[in-house]
Amino acid sequence: MTLSDAIKPGGRGVISTASADGVPNSAIYAHPHIIDEETVAWGMTESRTYKNVSENPHAAYLYMNPGPGFSGVRLVLKLDKMEDSGSMLDQIKDHTAEIVSKVAGSAVKHVAYFKVTERRPLV
């Protein structure tokens, strides 16, 4: 099953990170931008999640597809790179402004690209 098949639009996602000293954080995060079968990306604000992945490149993402039951995916991630400019950032900022608000779109400052190191079903 491809990542696009496993992650259906309209669901709910949570990313979990930890600081360099191991303090955990979880945050609601949108459907990722699927770059390829091994790479996903999200726009990030100057948030705790951004700070944590800057200090500790490991993260986990849980996504529940819309609808009844428990379909979705769990991903183990490792930060590959961060970008502070470029076409992907512009695309994410525009999409966030359209879907959430102009203020939210302008708050997105970074794109974090993660390698998917493990993929498991939700249940």
Side-chain angles (χ1 to χ4, degrees):
M1 177 181 287
T2 67
L3 279 178
S4 295
D5 291 336
I7 301 173
K8 309 268 189 248
R12 306 254 186 239
V14 175
I15 194 166
S16 296
T17 60
S19 64
D21 57 352
V23 177
N25 180 62
S26 292
I28 301 223
Y29 254 63
H31 177 290
H33 294 266
I34 298 170
I35 307 303
D36 58 43
E37 285 304 304
E38 297 176 355
T39 312
V40 293
W42 285 276
M44 293 193 170
T45 63
E46 297 290 333
S47 63
R48 187 172 298 176
T49 299
Y50 169 73
K51 182 179 180 295
N52 283 354
V53 298
S54 296
E55 296 176 0
N56 175 351
H58 301 281
Y61 182 68
L62 179 145
Y63 188 79
M64 292 181 67
N65 285 318
F70 294 98
S71 74
V73 69
R74 294 178 286 169
L75 303 176
V76 178
L77 307 168
K78 185 171 182 188
L79 183 67
D80 183 42
K81 65 181 178 177
M82 200 74 84
E83 293 180 347
D84 299 329
S85 63
S87 63
M88 179 58 80
L89 179 61
D90 293 341
Q91 177 186 342
I92 291 171
K93 289 171 78 76
D94 291 346
H95 184 73
T96 303
E98 180 183 318
I99 299 299
V100 182
S101 72
K102 288 184 180 183
V103 172
S106 65
V108 176
K109 303 293 184 194
H110 317 279
V111 179
Y113 292 85
F114 292 89
K115 289 295 179 188
V116 177
T117 60
E118 185 179 350
R119 177 175 24 177
R120 295 183 292 161
L122 190 58
V123 292

